[in-house]
Amino acid sequence: MEIVTKIAPIILAIIMLGLGLGLSIKDFTRVLKYPKDFFVGFICQLILLPIVAFCIAIALNLSAPIAIGLMIIAAAPGGVTSNVLTKFANGDVALSITLTAVVSLLSVLSVPFIVITSANLLDVTILTDISMTGIALKMALVVTVPVIIGMIIRSFAENFISSKINIINKLTGWLFVVVFAAIWVEEKDNIFTYLAQAGFAVLILNVVMMTLAYFIAKKFVSGIPQQKCIALECGLQNGTLAVFVATLIFDDIAYVVPTGAYALLMYITGFIFIYILRKSN
């Protein structure tokens, strides 16, 4: 797993820099203008998603690596992909960007807490030299700092960055592919076994969570675009961040595979979900 361990933090930092380039202060102040829509999405993604993942891990009696891998992907924030597909679905893109931005910055605290707590509950041993604070600090270097740098760069070159944001989003998408290509190369002999073990669990998590989030949003948010946004935010996670966390805490590639399986499935289910929404509307 040497290649993945080396490239994951670098690529994640570049992806988060790209996220920061697409953000401005208004993406954070929007929380104050539309608090109800934001907090429904926030609770679904940051609280309900990990709870659903933990219940699935228990119900399916998953092996330790698959169960923790599932929790890692559930703890990860949404990524740029969720913003793009929300736009494609005619959802509330501004809300999507705000949720991605806020949850991504909070992930330096929420991800270590969720992963270590779930590992303790599942009796999985964490490396003795890894602490919640240590994970948070390392995540801050590759998540928070690049996002802030990206926002600063945008503030000095607003027009230029705005005109290039589609190119930046495409680049971050391809970097995401590079990480999983590296996993495939390093673990080609075992990858299908791991995917077979993790595939069913991540599919259930993805479909159940998008469906739950959609109907919860239908009950509490202001309109259909916000429902679409929240459902997609809960179904499209930042796989590169999940890979980084998995390789930071564990030496076994089996902990990384659920993130890869989820990354493959979420595009398929995401587009099917959008198709169903468009037909129903």
Side-chain angles (χ1 to χ4, degrees), residues 138-237:
K138 289 179 180 179
M139 283 186 64
L141 288 175
V142 295
V143 175
T144 308
V145 172
V147 168
I148 293 172
I149 291 172
M151 291 181 67
I152 292 171
I153 292 172
R154 182 187 174 105
S155 69
F156 286 103
E158 175 77 30
N159 293 335
F160 176 78
I161 296 298
S162 295
S163 66
K164 305 297 181 184
I165 198 67
N166 287 335
I167 297 173
I168 293 169
N169 288 342
K170 288 178 182 178
L171 174 62
T172 57
W174 281 108
L175 288 173
F176 181 80
V177 172
V178 169
V179 173
F180 289 100
I183 295 173
W184 188 278
V185 169
E186 282 200 298
E187 298 293 329
K188 58 183 180 295
D189 294 333
N190 301 316
I191 197 76
F192 285 110
T193 301
Y194 292 140
L195 287 175
Q197 294 173 352
F200 183 59
V202 298
L203 178 63
I204 292 175
L205 175 63
N206 181 263
V207 173
V208 167
M209 196 57 222
M210 280 200 296
T211 304
L212 267 178
Y214 180 79
F215 284 105
I216 289 171
K218 187 176 183 179
K219 177 75 173 176
F220 294 106
V221 302
S222 56
I224 293 174
Q226 291 72 36
Q227 291 172 229
K228 294 176 180 178
C229 162
I230 291 170
L232 289 169
E233 278 293 316
C234 291
L236 299 163
Q237 307 308 104

Side-chain angles (χ1 to χ4, degrees), residues 5-52:
T5 303
K6 287 181 178 178
I7 69 170
I10 298 170
I11 290 180
L12 177 59
I14 296 171
I15 289 173
M16 299 313 292
L17 176 66
L19 175 63
L21 290 171
L23 297 176
S24 63
I25 296 299
K26 69 180 181 182
D27 294 316
F28 295 91
T29 57
R30 193 178 290 114
V31 175
L32 302 176
K33 293 181 179 179
Y34 308 101
K36 187 177 180 181
D37 292 344
F38 171 80
F39 282 109
V40 171
F42 181 84
I43 290 169
C44 283
Q45 189 167 18
L46 204 64
I47 298 174
L48 184 59
L49 178 54
I51 290 173
V52 171

Side-chain angles (χ1 to χ4, degrees), residues 107-113 116 126 129-141 244 248-249:
S107 68
V108 299
L109 300 175
S110 62
V111 171
F113 175 78
I116 290 179
I126 301 287
D129 59 343
I130 292 291
S131 67
M132 194 176 298
T133 303
I135 298 170
L137 289 173
K138 289 179 180 179
M139 283 186 64
L141 288 175
F244 169 72
L248 180 64
I249 302 175

Side-chain angles (χ1 to χ4, degrees), residues 77-105:
V80 176
T81 304
S82 63
N83 308 152
V84 175
L85 288 192
T86 296
K87 183 177 181 179
F88 184 75
N90 297 322
D92 188 334
V93 178
L95 176 61
S96 177
I97 292 171
T98 298
L99 283 167
T100 297
V102 174
V103 178
S104 291
L105 291 181

